[in-house]
Amino acid sequence: MEDGIFFWGPVTSKEWCEPNYVQSSYIAEFFNTISNIPCILLALIGLVNALRQRFEKRFSVLHMSNIILALGSMTYHATLRQMQQQGDETPMVWEMLLYIYILYSPDWHYRSTMPTFLFLYGALFAIVHSQLRFGIGFKVHYALLCLLCAPRAYKYYIHTEDTLAKRLAKLYVATLLVGAACWLCDRLFCKQIQGWYVNPQGHAVWHVLMGFNSYFANTFLMYCRAQQREWNPKIKHLFGFFPYVKIEKPKTQ
């Protein structure tokens, strides 16, 4: 970077409370970029488990969507370009549509209508979002999609008896609340934070917590689905820390 000329060109997207191109001449927001790595690693753990135990393909797609979202976030924060910001936001909506499908499809009588509608909705959003900046409209839209998931997720929680499975849901809520607080502080108090000796990197912390948040949510949903299929699910821990679902399918399956 010389005389204000950035490696990826001028900033055309939303900026966060991290000075640009300080840690690297090639990465605009260094900490906001690398903080997506835990999300990718956790999603890979979930993906391997889903494939190894032959869970339904929806869960493999869900874990892969987490990886795509994290990569989109990395390119956005590395470049701070408008196109890359849209490449971050569009997978966020696609991921929520996947959650809606996984949560509601078991009791949906017309099986082809829901995935068809969600696919067309996601495709239409991607096309419109590629041409328009939504700003606050995107946040409201995303929040509404999240709220659509809440009633069904709570129903799954109250019908779950396993203590370790319920703990996953509690960890999901905890990481969401703490992460949201970090996101808000980074956004609302940036001027004050920039005067501190050390920047706590609230947005980067949000990324790390959302990586765990998605992992806890996915694992909990895999447990609930395995219960519905009568696969005798149990929560185990990889390396004594990372929870995953162990199933025992009947021989006929």
Side-chain angles (χ1 to χ4, degrees):
M1 180 178 65
E2 296 180 1
D3 301 324
I5 300 175
F6 301 117
F7 180 78
W8 296 103
V11 174
T12 58
S13 69
K14 180 191 302 180
E15 296 181 87
W16 298 88
C17 198
E18 179 182 353
N20 300 340
Y21 294 98
V22 171
Q23 305 297 327
S24 171
S25 300
Y26 306 102
I27 301 175
E29 295 179 341
F30 182 80
F31 293 108
N32 287 346
T33 300
I34 65 170
S35 57
N36 285 283
I37 295 175
C39 181
I40 296 174
L41 297 177
L42 290 166
L44 285 173
I45 293 174
L47 177 61
V48 169
N49 185 45
L51 292 172
R52 183 174 59 86
Q53 298 195 82
R54 297 185 179 179
F55 271 87
E56 293 163 306
K57 291 180 181 179
R58 66 189 70 180
F59 291 106
S60 297
V61 175
L62 182 60
H63 290 299
M64 287 190 288
S65 78
N66 294 151
I67 296 173
I68 293 171
L69 176 56
L71 292 173
S73 180
M74 291 181 77
T75 57
Y76 160 41
H77 288 288
T79 63
L80 290 181
R81 303 286 292 176
Q82 175 61 26
M83 180 181 295
Q84 280 69 30
Q85 180 180 341
Q86 292 171 329
D88 172 38
E89 293 176 345
T90 297
M92 290 173 64
V93 171
W94 288 348
E95 185 180 67
M96 291 313 304
L97 296 177
L98 272 171
Y99 280 119
I100 290 173
Y101 173 72
I102 289 172
L103 284 164
Y104 287 97
S105 62
D107 293 332
W108 193 262
H109 298 294
Y110 305 99
R111 294 189 177 183
S112 63
T113 56
M114 178 180 286
T116 300
F117 172 77
L118 294 176
F119 175 81
L120 293 175
Y121 186 93
L124 178 63
F125 175 82
I127 294 171
V128 175
H129 192 39
S130 68
Q131 302 300 316
L132 300 174
R133 293 191 182 192
F134 289 124
I136 189 64
F138 172 81
K139 297 180 180 65
V140 173
H141 175 242
Y142 185 75
L144 289 174
L145 292 177
C146 294
L147 289 174
L148 282 175
C149 295
R152 188 68 173 186
Y154 180 68
K155 180 181 178 181
Y156 279 16
Y157 174 78
I158 62 177
H159 284 90
T160 299
E161 297 181 357
D162 185 87
T163 303
L164 292 177
K166 292 177 82 78
R167 184 182 298 173
L168 288 173
K170 294 175 182 177
L171 287 170
Y172 165 80
V173 174
T175 51
L176 178 62
L177 292 177
V178 176
C182 293
W183 188 95
L184 285 170
C185 289
D186 185 83
R187 198 69 191 152
L188 298 177
F189 305 111
C190 183
K191 289 184 179 179
Q192 293 88 333
I193 290 172
Q194 287 179 337
W196 295 359
Y197 183 73
V198 176
N199 186 332
Q201 304 296 343
H203 196 76
V205 175
W206 152 265
H207 284 162
V208 174
L209 289 174
M210 286 305 98
F212 280 95
N213 178 266
S214 297
Y215 182 77
F216 293 143
N218 297 356
T219 307
F220 177 71
L221 292 176
M222 290 171 73
Y223 178 90
C224 294
R225 183 56 177 163
Q227 265 197 325
Q228 293 172 348
R229 298 297 301 270
E230 298 181 347
W231 289 346
N232 190 28
K234 291 181 175 60
I235 300 297
K236 303 292 184 179
H237 290 84
L238 180 67
F239 306 127
F241 182 78
F242 300 102
Y244 69 96
V245 182
K246 176 70 175 178
I247 59 175
E248 297 177 8
K249 291 184 179 181
K251 293 183 179 180
T252 55
Q253 297 187 38

